[in-house]
Amino acid sequence: FIIKISIIHIKIVFTRTLIFLQVRKYKMSMIQDKEFPQPYEKCYLEVGDGHKLYVEQIGNPNGVPFVFLHGGPGSGCQSNHRTLFNYKDNRIILFDQRGAGRSIPKRSLINNTTQALVSDMEIIRKKLNIKKWAVVGGSWGSTLGLAYAENYSEYVSGLILRSVFLGSETNIIWA
């Protein structure tokens, strides 16, 4: 499929496996590997409207930046999400979206819209002094990634999407 969004052309590949730009150097699968990479930095970032997002960074602070967008909405990032990346060569930013995971307030729907989440991503990018990042998302995270790329294409070096959910009536009925 090729979808035209604004000035962006995106190729969506439907697969059952997660494909990333770089081959993982792990010898073990996610199920076997219990030694998850630990964050070198974590914080709560105020983004307005009474929301504080939990943000963590793993990997190489000087590496290629990736932002990981969890599914849900509401689920938050999990420790095993850290193993999806080559953390020796990349800088990985994981954050819990508004109302999700460790972000505060928990399960809040107040001022929790797609546009607010897109704006939150831009606040994170600026706060971390990232010029461009690759956006990685699955399910709801793919929807959010597409929305961010449509609004801020100049800051997106690539999109990696899986289990694409576009929010169509067919997607909602199926989900």
Side-chain angles (χ1 to χ4, degrees), residues 23-163:
V23 176
R24 288 180 34 197
K25 295 180 181 178
Y26 296 131
K27 301 287 186 219
M28 303 171 81
S29 74
M30 285 176 21
I31 295 170
Q32 297 167 327
D33 187 358
K34 299 297 182 199
E35 299 298 319
F36 300 119
Q38 295 304 306
Y40 64 81
E41 183 178 330
K42 51 187 171 180
C43 67
Y44 282 89
L45 181 61
E46 291 191 35
V47 291
D49 302 322
H51 289 272
K52 292 181 184 178
L53 304 185
Y54 174 80
V55 180
E56 66 179 35
Q57 296 185 75
I58 65 164
N60 179 347
N62 299 313
V64 177
F66 287 80
V67 61
F68 177 81
L69 306 176
H70 64 73
S75 64
C77 290
Q78 308 300 318
S79 295
N80 64 351
H81 292 148
R82 297 175 190 160
T83 66
L84 300 172
F85 301 88
N86 174 341
Y87 60 92
K88 292 180 178 143
D89 297 327
N90 300 305
R91 176 183 182 187
I92 300 97
I93 297 91
L94 299 102
F95 73 98
D96 292 338
Q97 299 158 21
R98 290 181 182 218
R102 291 159 282 191
S103 289
I104 302 168
K106 280 190 171 291
R107 295 180 286 280
S108 175
L109 298 178
I110 298 169
N111 297 313
N112 192 344
T113 64
T114 303
Q115 192 54 51
L117 298 175
V118 166
S119 295
D120 293 348
M121 290 177 63
E122 188 56 10
I123 290 169
I124 293 168
R125 186 193 66 76
K126 287 179 180 176
K127 177 73 175 174
L128 299 179
N129 290 321
I130 296 171
K131 291 180 183 172
K132 283 188 169 192
W133 54 10
V135 178
V136 180
S139 190
W140 163 252
S142 69
T143 308
L144 183 56
L146 287 168
Y148 178 83
E150 183 176 23
N151 283 275
Y152 295 102
S153 61
E154 66 272 24
Y155 303 122
V156 177
S157 61
L159 277 171
I160 303 168
L161 308 173
R162 64 167 176 79
S163 303

Side-chain angles (χ1 to χ4, degrees), residues 3 10-15 137-143 146 160-167 171 174:
I3 297 175
I10 301 167
K11 184 176 183 181
I12 300 176
V13 180
F14 295 94
T15 68
S139 190
W140 163 252
S142 69
T143 308
L146 287 168
I160 303 168
L161 308 173
R162 64 167 176 79
S163 303
V164 176
F165 177 80
L166 298 176
N171 285 164
W174 182 84

